[in-house]
Amino acid sequence: MMLISRIMFSVAFLSVFLLICKEVSGVSHPSQYSTVKFNEGFNNLWGPQHETVSQDQSQITIWLDRQSGSGFKSLRAYKSGYFSAAIKLQPGYTAGTNTAFYLSNNQVHPDGHDEVDIEFLGTIPGRPYTLQTNIYVNSGNGGNGRIVTGREQQIHLWFDPTQDFHRYSILWTPSRIVFLVDNTPIRKYIRTSSSTFPARPMWVYGSIWDASSWATENGKYKVDYRYEPFVAKYKDFVLIDCSDNKASACYGRG
């Protein structure tokens, strides 16, 4: 009976997985996309002394220490698109750190911004990183005008993200948002109302910063700067515009 139950669970899980994959089956493998050199798509936003860019501009390394973290931002905003990077995280004690790849317009709309996040929440040795996805619409600072939409879904990855680079992607079309890991969809958010779906242009960001107050087990474990620097590596960026007359670049992929 236990064996039959396990088989039935496996079949059910596979059916759900294949259904999700079918719905985003148009998402081609990222190797088919042209990658963007860092200086062609991004520049530093903060903490310039805490980043290094490879000579060929294919990779950026950013780090957090007791002086500062670091972040970068795309050169332009997008109304929708496919945004992707291969990322490698640091092993060992990383509790309290937040390494992110995300979309936002908070600098333009500080009192009511939109945001779509992939965040890696640091951990302690022997426990896995947590990958957290967020979707915010009209999210104000200090609770002003705040609408929280699809906030904070968390998973543990099926691999060790510190051992090698893996690809993390956000597909944002006018009708849905899909988060993917190594081209496997892990979350899909469908537009059901204009008030709960981001429509204003957003920029693409990457960052590492101290989120000790909440990142690891709701703040139980803090950043311990005896283990600094905390390093994150990003490479092979993909930035595809899906808006307006360029919509055909992504229609059918999500």
Side-chain angles (χ1 to χ4, degrees), residues 38-149:
F38 181 79
N39 62 349
E40 294 174 343
F42 300 90
N43 58 18
N44 176 264
L45 179 62
W46 60 284
Q49 71 279 17
H50 287 68
E51 72 168 39
T52 59
V53 180
S54 62
Q55 187 172 2
D56 65 359
Q57 294 288 322
S58 66
Q59 177 176 319
I60 181 171
T61 300
I62 57 177
W63 62 91
L64 166 71
D65 61 24
R66 66 191 69 218
Q67 275 73 48
S68 179
S70 187
F72 56 89
K73 177 184 177 182
S74 62
L75 299 177
R76 50 157 293 195
Y78 299 83
K79 291 181 67 177
S80 61
Y82 175 82
F83 313 102
S84 182
I87 302 172
K88 184 178 181 182
L89 305 175
Q90 177 164 308
Y93 188 101
T94 58
T97 63
N98 182 312
T99 302
F101 182 68
Y102 64 104
L103 314 177
S104 181
N105 51 30
N106 67 313
Q107 292 179 291
V108 177
H109 304 289
D111 294 325
H113 74 278
D114 310 308
E115 192 168 318
V116 179
D117 300 330
I118 294 176
E119 297 178 314
F120 304 93
L121 308 182
T123 188
I124 60 176
R127 299 186 188 179
Y129 272 87
T130 296
L131 186 153
Q132 177 168 286
T133 59
N134 307 317
I135 300 169
Y136 299 112
V137 178
N138 193 29
S139 176
N141 296 326
N144 297 323
R146 188 177 183 83
I147 297 176
V148 178
T149 301

Side-chain angles (χ1 to χ4, degrees), residues 18-30 32-33 82 171 173 176 178 180 183 185 188 240 242 247-254:
L18 291 175
L19 178 61
I20 294 175
C21 290
K22 181 179 180 181
E23 289 179 337
V24 294
S25 59
V27 182
S28 304
H29 192 277
Q32 298 180 16
Y33 302 156
Y82 175 82
L171 174 64
T173 76
R176 69 191 66 194
V178 183
L180 305 101
N183 210 39
K188 183 172 69 172
I240 297 181
C242 300
S248 60
C250 288
Y251 281 165
R253 291 195 173 116

